[in-house]
Amino acid sequence: MAQQGLLAVYFSEASAIFVLLLTLILLFRSYRERYFAAWIFGWFIYFAYSLFALLNYWQPRPLWLLLARIGFFAGTLLLLYAVIEYLGYRRFAFVVPAFGVIGAVWSLLQAEYLADRFWAATVTTLLHMALFLLAGSLLAWRKWGSANLGDKILAAAFSLHGIHMVDSQFWSEQTGLLLRVSINGWLEVALGVGMAVLVLDDARARAERLNRKLNRINSITAVASQSLYLDEMLRNSLDQILETMAFKHGIIRLVEESPERVLVARVWRGFPESFMQRRRAIPFSDPIAQAMERDRPLAVYFDDSTPTPLRQILGEAGVHSALVVGLRAKNRALGLLGIASIDAYVFTTEEIDFLHSVANQIGVMVENARLFSQVVNAQLQWMNTFDSIQDPILVHDSQNVIRRINRAFGERIGRTPSKIVGRDISEVFGTGHKAACRFCMALDAGEEIHEAALGGHFLVSTSRLADKEGQNEFVHVLRDISDRKGMEERYLNLFHNVQEGVFISTPAGRFVDFNEAFMRMLGYTRREELLAVDIVNQLYVRPEQREALKKLLAEKGNVMGYELDVRKKTGELIALSESSF
C-alpha cells in the first residue's frame, strides 16, 4: 500500500510539472524574456527528471536512476541560471557551468563506484541544497522588498526546498516517507507557480510602465515643440527622457560636417566633465558611432561579452550599462541618443522599444528645428519656404517691433509686409497689445486666442530665436481653429435650443448636462436641483428600466424610441420615449 501511495505521489508530481510546463510555454508566446526561456528549458528537464523518477520507482533500473539524478541536477542548475539572468547578475553566471561539470562528474562516479556509500549520498544532498539555497538567497536579497508576489514565492520555494532536503538520505528509513515526498513535490510545484506569478506580475507592471512612458512620449514631444531653439529643445527632451526612464546619465550627439564629419555632444547629464572634454567630438569610426547604422538600439554592458573598445569607453565614463540609438529623419543619420546606468542594469525589451520610439520623435524634431532656424536666420535664401507655410507667422523683437511676417499672415490681416514690418505690434493689432504682446503671454503650448484683427480663433505656438546679431526674436505660429470653434458653438446652440429634451448622464446615474427643454419637461426651474437628482432612484418610476436601457446600449451601441415612465419634480408620472447612444 505504501508503494502504491508513493507511486501515486510521483505520478501526481509529474502531472503537475507537465501542466505547469504547458502554462509557462503559453506565457512565453507573449513574454519572450531571456531568463524566462532559460526557466522553461530547465522546467522541461525537470519534467524529464520526474518521469525518470517515476519509472525508476515503478521498475527500478540503474539507467532510470542515473537519468533521474542528472535530470534533477541539470534542471535545478538551469533554474538557478534563470534566476541569475533575471536578477542581472551575469558576472556570476560562471557558477552554472562550474556546478554543471561538478554535478555531471559526480553523478557518474556515484552511479559507477559510490552507489551504496552513505557519505556519497550526503555530498549529493549538499550539492542540491547549495543550488536551491543559492537561488533562494539571491532572490530574497535582491527582490524581497519588491511588490511582485512571484519574487517572494520563488525565494520562499527555493529556500524551503533546500532546507527540506537536508535529511533526504534518511527519508526511506522514516515512517513519514510519504509525507516528506509529498512536501518535496509540493515545493517543486511551488517553483513553477512562483515563476508563472512572477511573469504575470512583471508583465502587468511593465505594461503599466509602458503606458506611462507612452504618455511621456507625448509630453516629450509637447515640451520640445514649445521651442524651435535646437539646444533648448534637446535639453528639454533629454531631461524628460531621463526622468521618465529613471536614469541619471544621458547624452545627445548631433552630426556636424565641418571641418570633418564628427558626432558632437550638444547636451548631456551625469557624465564626468573630464570624460566629456576628451570625447566632446568623436569621429564616425568610433565604436559608439556604429549605433547610427543599426535598425535597433545598441545595448552595451561592462562584461566579457562586450568588445574591449566599448568596454574601455564604459570604464572611462564610469558606467556599467548603456543603451545607444541613432537619430534619423528622412533616412538620414542626424546623431545619437544614449542613456546609461552606473549599476549592473539589463535593459528590457520595453525600454529598448521606448527609447527607439523617442529617438524617432527627436530625429524629426531636430530636423524641423534645423529647418526653421535656417528659415529665420537666412531670410533671403529661405523666404519661399517661410512663405509656403499655410499658418500665419509673426516675428518680432524684444521691443515688440515686427521684424517679419509670412504671406499667410499678410493675407489674413489684409496688408502687405512692407506696411507692417518695422511697426509696433500695438499699431497693427490695436490697444490690446499695447502693454505686452498677447501672443507672448500665451507661452504654454496649445493656448487659444481670439484675435479680431485676424478674424478668427487661433492656437498659438511661441518660440524664441536669436537673430544674426544675437538679439532675441519671438516667433508666433498661429493655427486657425475658427472652424472648430464654430462647430462647437453650433453644437451648443443646437443642444440648448432644440425643442426635445436632451441630456448627458453618467453610467452611475448622475446628470452631466441637459438643455432647457428637458428641465421644463420634468418641471424644474433651477439647474442645480436637477443636477442633484439620482436618476435611478428619484427619476425612474421603475429602476429596472434604466438597467435594461444600459444593457441595450452595451449590446447595440444605440437605442431608438425606448419607452419609460419618469417622475417629475411635483411627483407626477409621465411617459417618455428616449433615444440614446
Side-chain angles (χ1 to χ4, degrees), residues 236-524:
N236 292 340
S237 299
L238 184 60
D239 289 340
Q240 285 284 328
I241 292 168
L242 295 180
E243 179 184 350
T244 298
M245 302 185 71
F247 284 88
K248 296 182 179 179
H249 294 70
I251 187 170
I252 296 179
R253 295 180 179 272
L254 296 183
V255 175
E256 293 191 4
E257 303 290 343
S258 58
E260 60 183 14
R261 208 172 186 212
V262 293
L263 282 162
V264 178
R266 299 294 294 264
V267 293
W268 64 88
R269 296 288 185 268
F271 293 104
E273 194 63 32
S274 57
F275 171 76
M276 293 308 305
Q277 289 178 357
R278 293 193 303 272
R279 294 183 57 82
R280 178 69 181 273
I282 60 175
F284 271 48
S285 58
D286 191 88
I288 291 294
Q290 64 182 287
M292 284 198 305
E293 307 303 325
R294 293 169 56 95
D295 293 332
R296 297 284 294 164
L298 172 65
V300 186
Y301 303 100
F302 193 78
D303 56 27
D304 294 336
S305 64
T306 302
T308 302
L310 287 174
R311 235 177 24 249
Q312 290 176 345
I313 294 173
L314 293 182
E316 293 176 7
V319 298
H320 184 279
S321 309
L323 186 61
V324 187
V325 60
L327 302 177
R328 306 184 69 85
K330 299 179 180 179
N331 295 322
R332 185 163 64 93
L334 299 178
L336 290 174
L337 165 64
I339 60 173
S341 171
I342 60 175
D343 299 320
Y345 186 84
V346 179
F347 297 100
T348 65
T349 303
E350 287 84 357
E351 288 169 333
I352 293 173
D353 291 340
F354 173 74
L355 195 68
H356 195 195
S357 299
V358 171
N360 290 335
Q361 294 286 337
I362 293 178
V364 173
M365 289 188 291
V366 167
E367 181 73 8
N368 292 339
R370 282 180 168 177
L371 175 62
F372 201 83
S373 296
Q374 291 170 354
V375 170
V376 173
N377 294 326
Q379 299 179 36
L380 296 178
Q381 182 179 1
W382 293 100
M383 187 58 70
N384 289 335
T385 303
F386 185 72
D387 280 338
S388 68
I389 299 175
Q390 298 301 310
D391 295 328
I393 299 178
L394 168 69
V395 182
H396 67 82
D397 61 17
S398 57
Q399 303 300 318
N400 286 348
V401 176
I402 298 175
R403 302 287 294 273
R404 193 175 302 111
I405 65 169
N406 69 341
R407 183 180 295 114
F409 189 96
E411 292 174 352
R412 290 301 296 258
I413 205 166
R415 302 183 191 180
T416 61
S418 60
K419 294 183 178 181
I420 295 178
V421 173
R423 299 178 63 181
D424 191 272
I425 289 179
S426 62
E427 297 176 21
V428 177
F429 292 97
T431 57
H433 291 259
K434 188 66 177 178
C437 172
R438 287 183 61 206
F439 303 136
C440 288
M441 298 171 66
L443 290 178
D444 294 332
E447 186 79 16
E448 296 181 5
I449 285 181
H450 177 264
E451 182 52 60
L454 294 175
H457 288 82
F458 296 88
L459 189 68
V460 181
S461 174
T462 297
S463 301
R464 183 176 60 190
L465 301 174
D467 62 13
K468 295 179 180 179
E469 290 75 31
Q471 301 298 317
N472 285 332
E473 287 186 341
F474 298 88
V475 182
H476 304 301
V477 181
L478 312 178
R479 174 64 56 86
D480 191 351
I481 58 171
S482 300
D483 290 342
R484 192 194 76 189
K485 298 291 289 188
M487 292 177 62
E488 292 175 356
E489 291 173 1
R490 288 193 293 272
Y491 167 78
L492 291 175
N493 183 60
L494 176 64
F495 182 85
H496 289 292
N497 295 324
V498 69
Q499 295 304 308
E500 288 80 13
V502 182
F503 69 91
I504 301 172
S505 68
T506 67
R510 290 292 180 180
F511 286 114
V512 177
D513 199 4
F514 40 79
N515 64 356
E516 295 290 333
F518 187 73
M519 288 177 57
R520 291 194 301 271
M521 187 180 298
L522 296 181
Y524 288 85

Side-chain angles (χ1 to χ4, degrees), residues 201-212:
D201 278 354
D202 202 28
R204 175 188 52 78
R206 289 186 181 187
E208 292 175 353
R209 291 196 301 269
L210 181 59
N211 185 55
R212 290 194 298 269

Side-chain angles (χ1 to χ4, degrees), residues 114-167:
L114 306 172
D116 299 326
R117 302 296 179 88
F118 175 79
W119 65 270
T122 302
V123 171
T124 301
T125 299
L126 292 175
L127 279 174
H128 294 164
M129 286 179 59
L131 295 178
F132 282 103
L133 291 176
L134 177 59
S137 299
L138 289 175
L139 279 166
W141 178 46
R142 185 69 181 269
K143 293 288 187 176
W144 192 256
S146 75
N148 192 327
L149 179 62
D151 292 328
K152 297 179 176 60
I153 295 176
L154 271 184
F158 271 118
S159 301
L160 291 174
H161 204 312
I163 295 171
H164 183 253
M165 294 178 65
V166 68
D167 62 340

Side-chain angles (χ1 to χ4, degrees), residues 45-46 48-56 61-75 107 128:
I45 297 177
Y46 226 67
Y49 137 73
S50 67
L51 290 180
F52 289 128
L54 178 63
L55 289 172
N56 182 65
R61 292 183 183 177
L63 178 60
W64 298 148
L65 180 60
L66 176 61
L67 292 175
R69 286 175 175 173
I70 293 176
F72 181 79
F73 190 82
S107 296
H128 294 164

